[in-house]
């Protein structure tokens, strides 16, 4: 079964800095991938998803992710973060209708 | 807001008791999945219900059971509660039919369960 690893447990940034969060899935073939975000006190929300096509996927709130098949990676990026991007970010892969999540990365943006 | 609702928001139970958590799907969705999120971890898949039948199950014991109703709402039941069952329980609804692994799951706010 697919599994997901997220390399960074906690990232601390200043506003306007660029953000990149790593995500790797365990094996190849056709994969469908997601990034979800959990803002403090809120529910898990979909940021973006990749099913097929252009490997550079744009999501909400200025986020994007790049699917690199050769590296089994689906890294999340944002060129310039804001204080409101403080949240926990989860990468996930879907297989047999089941989402498998990484452990999450807590992002703290300092004003 | 996703349109997925869960009740109750918080619950405190003692070890050995039974609990029922409820979920209402987003309008137009036909599938409900349940996840357990322990503190500091990513959500773990418990099971999924489609057409009122269990469609897949994660690595959880049989004391975790569920139901899906004709209106696509769902219940998660946990018997013989253990301390390790303390977690945030998330419900996600989706529309199955676009093709294998093509569904997008939308999450509710969760029920936080504390077992003492």
């Amino acid at each position: 079964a697919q599994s997901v690893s997220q390399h960074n447990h906690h990232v601390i940034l200043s506003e306007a800095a660029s953000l990149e969060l790593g995500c790797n899935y365990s094996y190849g073939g056709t994969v469908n991938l997601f990034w979800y975000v959990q803002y403090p006190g809120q529910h898990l929300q979909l940021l973006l998803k990749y099913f097929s096509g252009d490997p550079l996927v744009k999501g909400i709130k200025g986020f994007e992710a790049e699917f690199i098949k050769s590296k089994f990676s689906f890294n999340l990026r944002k060129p310039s973060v804001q204080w409101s991007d403080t949240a926990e970010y989860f990468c996930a892969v879907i297989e047999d209708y089941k989402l498998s999540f990484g452990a999450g990365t807590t992002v703290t943006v300092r004003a | 807001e996703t349109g997925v609702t869960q009740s109750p928001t918080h619950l405190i139970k003692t070890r050995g008791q039974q609990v029922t958590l409820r979920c209402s799907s987003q309008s137009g969705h036909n599938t409900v999945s349940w996840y357990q999120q322990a503190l500091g971890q990513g959500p773990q898949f418990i099971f999924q219900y489609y057409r009122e039948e269990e469609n897949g199950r994660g690595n959880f014991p049989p004391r975790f059971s569920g139901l899906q109703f004709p209106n696509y709402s769902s219940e998660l039941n946990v018997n013989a509660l253990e301390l390790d069952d303390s977690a945030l329980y998330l419900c996600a609804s989706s529309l199955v039919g676009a093709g294998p692994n093509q569904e997008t799951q939308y999450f509710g706010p969760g029920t936080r369960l504390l077992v003492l």
Side-chain angles (χ1 to χ4, degrees), chain B residues 54-108:
Chain B
E54 190 177 286
N55 188 42
R57 189 176 187 93
N59 190 24
F60 282 81
R63 59 188 185 85
F64 285 78
S65 63
L67 286 171
Q68 186 185 29
F69 300 101
N71 66 355
Y72 304 119
S73 66
S74 178
E75 287 183 356
L76 165 66
N77 297 289
V78 187
N79 293 322
L81 283 167
E82 300 177 0
L83 298 179
D84 284 349
D85 295 334
S86 295
L88 180 67
Y89 288 86
L90 298 169
C91 164
S93 77
S94 55
L95 179 63
V96 170
N101 299 326
Q102 294 280 313
E103 66 180 270
T104 300
Q105 297 184 12
Y106 296 92
F107 286 81

Side-chain angles (χ1 to χ4, degrees), chain A residues 15-79:
Chain A
E15 275 193 312
S18 64
L19 172 70
E20 180 160 0
L21 302 181
C23 170
N24 285 94
Y25 56 95
S26 54
Y27 61 85
T30 301
V31 286
N32 295 324
L33 296 152
F34 303 81
W35 276 97
Y36 284 86
V37 61
Q38 198 167 30
Y39 297 104
Q42 295 188 28
H43 62 277
L44 213 55
Q45 299 174 34
L46 180 68
L47 264 183
L48 48 80
K49 61 186 178 184
Y50 173 78
F51 284 176
S52 63
D54 189 342
L56 187 60
V57 180
K58 299 213 182 284
I60 61 171
K61 305 188 182 188
F63 285 90
E64 64 180 30
E66 186 175 12
F67 172 64
I68 302 179
K69 192 171 182 177
S70 61
K71 294 184 178 180
F72 302 97
S73 70
F74 189 55
N75 292 354
L76 181 71
R77 298 194 292 248
K78 185 170 184 178

Side-chain angles (χ1 to χ4, degrees), chain B residues 15-79:
Chain B
R15 197 169 46 182
Q17 285 189 310
Q18 178 265 343
V19 69
T20 298
L21 310 181
R22 294 177 176 83
C23 171
S24 286
S25 302
Q26 183 169 313
S27 177
H29 285 180
N30 57 11
T31 302
V32 173
S33 303
W34 286 91
Y35 292 82
Q36 181 196 66
Q37 187 178 13
L39 208 58
Q41 296 182 24
Q44 299 290 317
F45 176 75
I46 303 175
F47 43 55
Q48 184 183 82
Y49 277 82
Y50 172 62
R51 292 183 175 176
E52 302 176 49
E53 291 192 3
E54 190 177 286
N55 188 42
R57 189 176 187 93
N59 190 24
F60 282 81
R63 59 188 185 85
F64 285 78
S65 63
L67 286 171
Q68 186 185 29
F69 300 101
N71 66 355
Y72 304 119
S73 66
S74 178
E75 287 183 356
L76 165 66
N77 297 289
V78 187
N79 293 322

Side-chain angles (χ1 to χ4, degrees), chain A residues 38 41-42 88, chain B residues 6-13 19 21 37-40 85-90 109-115:
Chain A
Q38 198 167 30
Q42 295 188 28
E88 189 150 20
Chain B
Q6 292 185 243
S7 63
T9 55
H10 295 82
L11 204 49
I12 300 175
K13 291 285 189 178
V19 69
L21 310 181
Q37 187 178 13
L39 208 58
D85 295 334
S86 295
L88 180 67
Y89 288 86
L90 298 169
T111 295
R112 190 162 296 281
L113 173 65
L114 178 61
V115 182

